[in-house]
Amino acid sequence: MEEKKIIEDNVFISVIVPVYNAEKYLDRCLQSILAQTYTYYEIILINDGSTDTSEDICEKYVRKDKRIRIIQKENSGVAITRNIGLEVAKGRYISFIDSDDYIKPDMFEKMIMKAKHNDSDMVMCKYFIDNAGEIHTATMDYHETYDGWLSIKEGLLKLYYEEHHNGLYSLCNKLIKRSIYVENDISFDVSLRRGEDAWFIFQCLKHCRRVDFIPGAFYYYYQNTGSIMHTIYEDQYEKWVYMRKLLLEENKILKINIDYSRFYKEFLYKVVVYCRELIKQHRNDRVLEIIQDEFYLNALKHAKKFPIHIKIIHYFTRKKYQQIVIIFYKLWAMV
């Protein structure tokens, strides 16, 4: 009877949970979803080839609650995993929850109430950061409502070009109307190891006409130092460049008036930190490859308001004194 009620409710939520070696956190995550005061949802667990006991934990919850189903697959990464969730989801709204995170009991109730009342294409809320038990609320400052294309373009999409907003880029603090991605053929870019969630949100926002913001925090983002967000990859620089190029290409249509010093600022900062870590690993050749890259050198033309040590690195990079740049990175890596 409960399952029938869920299916008949025309505004129920599909909760997509990618699972990969999450045995330490999965119980907490699923218990927080099952504790929701709003009950008209399904939970889609997608086991991405876990090698620990995650599959057993998933099966345990499937036996407990008919709203839960599990999909087994070989390991292929979070983008493909989430795309599978999108394909099988039935809900009017979609929610993504990472398996090491958890949510407050009234998250769905508060968000779906807002979505129903305004027929929102997207609803987002604040979130907490759980850093080994130390919890604080992430800073997010948005208007309560973005009504109409121009409001969304100038108020939200422009932030992709001029500021770094975790709350906007984050996938897990949102409800998204399923028709947005279905009707516009939007999916996760499997070529992006990082930033695939931000790019998915960007594509959805392009087709939204009503976005609402709830100022309360309901989602707990767990800082797991072993996760992908804290790992340096060989092609990490190329992924950052790829994302910036995608945004620049999009702007040929959007025609947002960009402050390029702000557009490149986060990218430039991440690159110098990345190069410093490469120097620590004695990867001098890789650093030389990056600091001679045309995209990076062009971005440096717009560099403003950096700390003095980064300004020095930028200066000698622009002058193409690569060996001096390497020396400065080595000195910085010793600090």
Side-chain angles (χ1 to χ4, degrees):
M1 181 63 69
E2 180 69 15
E3 184 177 22
K4 183 179 178 181
K5 285 173 65 180
I6 294 167
I7 294 172
E8 288 176 348
D9 192 304
N10 66 354
V11 292
F12 82 91
I13 305 166
S14 290
V15 187
I16 298 172
V17 184
V19 177
Y20 178 70
N21 289 352
E23 62 182 7
K24 293 181 180 179
Y25 316 105
L26 191 53
D27 272 312
R28 180 181 65 182
C29 173
L30 295 178
Q31 287 172 16
S32 75
I33 300 172
L34 291 174
Q36 291 300 294
T37 54
Y38 180 86
T39 59
Y40 299 121
Y41 57 81
E42 64 172 354
I43 303 174
I44 305 168
L45 302 174
I46 308 165
N47 183 28
D48 187 28
S50 294
T51 57
D52 63 1
T53 62
S54 293
E55 181 180 344
D56 294 335
I57 297 170
C58 289
E59 295 288 1
K60 177 183 71 174
Y61 279 92
V62 168
R63 292 192 296 269
K64 275 185 177 182
D65 199 306
K66 292 181 178 180
R67 293 172 296 180
I68 306 174
R69 51 181 164 148
I70 183 172
I71 297 173
Q72 305 283 3
K73 60 184 283 294
E74 293 183 0
N75 180 254
S76 57
V78 70
I80 292 175
T81 302
R82 285 171 173 158
N83 281 336
I84 291 172
L86 293 178
E87 289 172 5
V88 303
K90 299 176 182 178
R92 186 177 180 188
Y93 287 91
I94 307 299
S95 170
F96 293 92
I97 298 179
D98 288 344
S99 57
D100 52 355
D101 298 339
Y102 55 106
I103 58 178
K104 291 181 69 174
D106 57 344
M107 176 174 168
F108 289 165
E109 180 181 354
K110 292 293 175 60
M111 296 188 78
I112 204 67
M113 187 183 303
K114 178 74 76 171
K116 283 183 179 181
H117 185 267
N118 297 322
D119 191 25
S120 310
D121 294 315
M122 184 185 298
V123 178
M124 57 182 178
C125 66
K126 286 187 177 183
Y127 62 92
F128 301 101
I129 296 176
D130 180 347
N131 188 355
E134 291 186 11
I135 298 173
H136 67 272
T137 306
T139 301
M140 291 175 62
D141 184 20
Y142 296 104
H143 299 307
E144 185 175 339
T145 298
Y146 296 86
D147 193 2
W149 165 239
L150 185 61
S151 176
I152 292 169
K153 173 185 169 182
E154 295 298 324
L156 295 176
L157 287 177
K158 191 172 184 178
L159 295 177
Y160 274 79
Y161 292 89
E162 295 197 348
E163 294 186 42
H164 181 66
H165 275 249
N166 282 325
L168 180 60
Y169 302 165
S170 175
L171 191 67
C172 297
N173 65 333
K174 294 174 176 64
L175 287 185
I176 304 170
K177 191 179 285 186
R178 187 163 64 95
S179 60
I180 293 294
Y181 74 80
V182 171
E183 293 174 4
N184 298 289
D185 195 26
I186 299 169
S187 60
F188 290 92
D189 188 335
V190 298
S191 68
L192 286 169
R193 179 174 287 118
R194 286 190 62 179
E196 79 287 339
D197 48 356
W199 188 240
F200 179 83
I201 296 297
F202 182 91
Q203 295 299 318
C204 288
L205 284 170
K206 283 183 1 185
H207 299 282
C208 288
R209 292 301 176 267
R210 172 86 185 211
V211 176
D212 288 290
F213 173 64
I214 299 175
F218 298 92
Y219 190 94
Y220 289 86
Y221 167 56
Y222 181 70
Q223 291 275 15
N224 177 9
T225 56
S227 74
I228 188 172
M229 298 300 292
H230 298 273
T231 306
I232 290 181
Y233 286 91
E234 177 65 25
D235 60 350
Q236 198 155 322
Y237 170 77
E238 284 74 18
K239 300 301 182 186
W240 291 331
V241 171
Y242 178 60
M243 174 64 82
R244 295 283 115 184
K245 287 183 175 179
L246 284 175
L247 287 168
L248 290 172
E249 190 65 27
E250 286 285 343
N251 204 44
K252 292 179 181 179
I253 299 171
L254 295 173
K255 299 189 184 304
I256 293 172
N257 186 22
I258 302 172
D259 180 338
Y260 285 98
S261 67
R262 298 174 73 178
F263 176 72
Y264 286 112
K265 186 170 185 178
E266 184 207 359
F267 167 74
L268 291 172
Y269 182 77
K270 288 194 298 188
V271 171
V272 294
V273 173
Y274 180 54
C275 287
R276 180 194 185 200
E277 294 304 311
L278 289 170
I279 289 294
K280 287 181 178 180
Q281 298 173 13
H282 307 290
R283 299 288 308 283
N284 296 13
D285 289 345
R286 174 61 172 152
V287 174
L288 285 170
E289 180 184 340
I290 290 171
I291 65 177
Q292 295 177 75
D293 181 65
E294 182 180 355
F295 186 89
Y296 180 51
L297 291 172
N298 181 65
L300 283 175
K301 297 175 184 177
H302 307 280
K304 293 181 181 178
K305 298 181 180 179
F306 281 93
I308 186 64
H309 61 289
I310 295 180
K311 284 183 178 179
I312 292 171
I313 289 171
H314 284 169
Y315 173 79
F316 285 110
T317 303
R318 285 196 299 268
K319 293 293 184 179
K320 299 186 179 180
Y321 296 153
Q322 288 94 4
Q323 292 306 320
I324 296 178
V325 173
I326 295 295
I327 291 170
F328 271 101
Y329 270 123
K330 286 181 177 179
L331 291 172
W332 187 22
M334 294 170 62
V335 176

